[in-house]
């Protein structure tokens, strides 16, 4: 399914039991690329490798999915096993912005420690 068509976005929203967050929905490719460069993930995202788009997407994806078909396909999934596998394979990756934020906090705390109230 080509999930970014308006019809498919509506079907996925209807099929999902939790809210689907789409922080990049109104962002074009150049803006997404600039943000990836800013947060330090662009190089990793451009490494040559097979991804889900090339491995699992059919040659002619559906652009107008039907809710019943999506629900039926999801019913065949072992969600508990998939979640367990995802959790087991999870790893924490700290971005450059995480380190920058920590440096600012440390700097602010050091500045506060130097300021002494007048008695």
């Amino acid at each position: 399914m080509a999930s970014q068509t308006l019809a498919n976005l509506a079907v996925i929203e209807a099929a999902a039991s939790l809210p689907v967050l789409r922080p990049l929905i109104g962002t074009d490719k150049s803006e997404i690329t600039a943000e990836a460069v800013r947060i330090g993930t662009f190089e990793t995202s451009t490494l040559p490798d097979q991804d889900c788009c090339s491995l699992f997407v059919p040659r002619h994806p559906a652009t107008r999915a039907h809710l019943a078909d999506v629900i039926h396909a999801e019913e065949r999934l072992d969600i508990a096993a998939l979640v367990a596998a995802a959790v087991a394979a999870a790893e924490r990756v700290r971005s450059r912005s995480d380190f920058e934020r920590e440096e600012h906090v440390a700097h602010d705390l050091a500045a506060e420690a130097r300021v002494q109230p007048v008695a």
Side-chain angles (χ1 to χ4, degrees):
M1 173 171 37
S3 62
Q4 297 304 305
T5 64
L6 288 177
N8 284 347
L9 289 170
V11 168
I12 295 303
E13 194 72 35
S17 59
L18 294 172
V20 178
L21 304 177
R22 296 183 177 93
L24 302 177
I25 195 75
T27 312
D28 68 25
K29 185 174 182 175
S30 64
E31 293 168 316
I32 294 169
T33 300
E35 181 64 9
V37 169
R38 187 186 76 74
I39 66 173
T41 61
F42 179 76
E43 294 79 14
T44 301
S45 67
T46 58
L47 292 173
D49 199 5
Q50 293 182 333
D51 62 9
C52 63
C53 293
S54 61
L55 292 175
F56 303 116
V57 174
R59 185 174 297 273
H60 301 289
T63 57
R64 298 183 65 82
H66 299 281
L67 180 58
D69 296 336
V70 171
I71 292 171
H72 178 70
E74 287 186 355
E75 287 171 346
R76 295 182 291 175
L77 298 173
D78 184 351
I79 299 297
L82 291 170
V83 169
V87 169
E91 65 180 87
R92 181 175 185 199
V93 178
R94 298 180 69 179
S95 70
R96 207 173 329 181
S97 61
D98 287 339
F99 292 111
E100 291 168 358
R101 186 171 27 262
E102 289 172 7
E103 287 174 8
H104 286 295
V105 169
H107 179 267
D108 291 346
L109 290 175
E112 286 179 25
R114 287 191 301 266
V115 176
Q116 300 295 322
V118 176

